[in-house]
Amino acid sequence: PKVSPLTNGAVTCTDPLGPSSYQSTCVFTCDEGYTLIGSKALQCQEDGIWNSSQPLCATVQCPALQELENGFTSCGDDVERKFSYGNSCNFSCAPGYHLVGSTTIMCTSAAVWTESAPRCAGESSLNLPLCAFQTVCSSFMTNVFGIFSPAITCKNPGGNAPLISECSHPLAELQPGSTCSFHCEAGFELQGAATIQCSGEGQWNKATPTCKATGCPVPVIPSNVQLSCSPAPSAPASAQHAQPIGMVCLFSCGEGHTLQGAYSMECVNPGKWSSDPPTC
């Protein structure tokens, strides 16, 4: 049967023996801000049935935001799209507190927020003079006046495997001037700043980086095997040029030949093809 149009995506089919017939293959891709759920490629089998069910495109979701302590968070009225691609969240603080950070952040197509969530800092109710020697003054006010003023710290920058972080101070004591450095596990490359620093306002000066899987080499196939990749290879076969994770390559043979091996293969983490090229 003919495949249905893909909502929020596109379908590219090759039909060596006629539309939606034996050895027909269809590759599915999603628009920006959507991720594919299901198989990236379908192939019509000898019995006239596709080898898998048709996939769908789901909206990219960003990590859920924690409730703002001593403040308010508004992400719109649509609960299902609260943390979805393109949606924005606004922040404000309760009386007696002021916002440290951005008032609005947005969920991007990379499934990360444009900025870290802000926080609400308390405002002193005492009109005390500014002290030039902050450490000595803070200690003096704590010991003499009995005032406790919590130290300004940055939040744990986060980051899960394959991202590896190393900070200059314990995660609970990341005060202004503290730094965190990042690198990736083997098979991945760093995307973003290698080092970030905690500012005097308790905010990181740059966003936490991410790790991107390295690509696969351009597949080398026998001359009598027909190859169709989506997206198309970016360079001739070479160890210096990697193909993107998620690329799907479909194989077929000319008339009078039978395919021996896998009908398709996919570039998967960490930069390896899911199967070997077939022969005809």
Side-chain angles (χ1 to χ4, degrees), residues 48-191:
I49 302 298
W50 296 103
N51 63 341
S52 183
S53 58
Q54 184 169 334
L56 55 86
C57 291
T59 309
V60 166
Q61 299 291 317
C62 283
L65 298 174
Q66 301 294 326
E67 289 296 329
L68 188 61
E69 187 176 358
N70 300 312
F72 310 95
T73 304
S74 175
C75 299
D77 298 327
D78 190 342
V79 177
E80 293 185 356
R81 286 188 48 81
K82 191 173 183 180
F83 305 127
S84 298
Y85 163 69
N87 197 48
S88 298
C89 291
N90 301 308
F91 305 92
S92 59
C93 294
Y97 295 85
H98 67 275
L99 196 69
V100 179
S102 179
T103 57
T104 303
I105 61 176
M106 178 182 291
C107 179
T108 68
S109 59
V112 295
W113 295 98
T114 50
E115 296 185 53
S116 300
R119 63 185 179 86
C120 290
E123 298 175 354
S124 176
S125 59
L126 296 177
N127 188 21
L128 296 175
L130 181 64
C131 179
F133 304 95
Q134 186 175 3
T135 303
V136 176
C137 186
S138 175
S139 176
F140 176 76
M141 288 191 297
T142 300
N143 296 330
V144 177
F145 292 100
I147 300 172
F148 174 73
S149 178
I152 294 177
T153 59
C154 282
K155 293 181 179 179
N156 180 348
N160 300 318
L163 183 66
I164 301 172
S165 62
E166 297 177 357
C167 296
S168 59
H169 294 78
L171 295 180
E173 302 174 10
L174 295 171
Q175 298 180 358
S178 299
T179 59
C180 288
S181 299
F182 304 89
H183 64 278
C184 298
E185 295 177 355
F188 296 84
E189 58 183 6
L190 195 69
Q191 302 290 304

Side-chain angles (χ1 to χ4, degrees), residues 23-42:
Q23 287 195 351
S24 289
T25 54
C26 292
V27 176
F28 301 84
T29 56
C30 293
D31 298 336
E32 182 180 8
Y34 295 85
T35 183
L36 196 70
I37 305 298
S39 178
K40 290 188 176 182
L42 300 184

Side-chain angles (χ1 to χ4, degrees), residues 1-5 11-28 39-55 250-251 263-264:
K2 185 177 180 180
V3 296
S4 303
V11 184
T12 303
C13 297
T14 56
D15 305 295
L17 303 178
S20 300
S21 60
Y22 173 55
Q23 287 195 351
S24 289
T25 54
C26 292
V27 176
F28 301 84
S39 178
K40 290 188 176 182
L42 300 184
Q43 184 156 39
C44 186
Q45 305 172 115
E46 294 180 359
D47 56 4
I49 302 298
W50 296 103
N51 63 341
S52 183
S53 58
Q54 184 169 334
L250 308 175
F251 305 100
Y263 285 109
S264 65

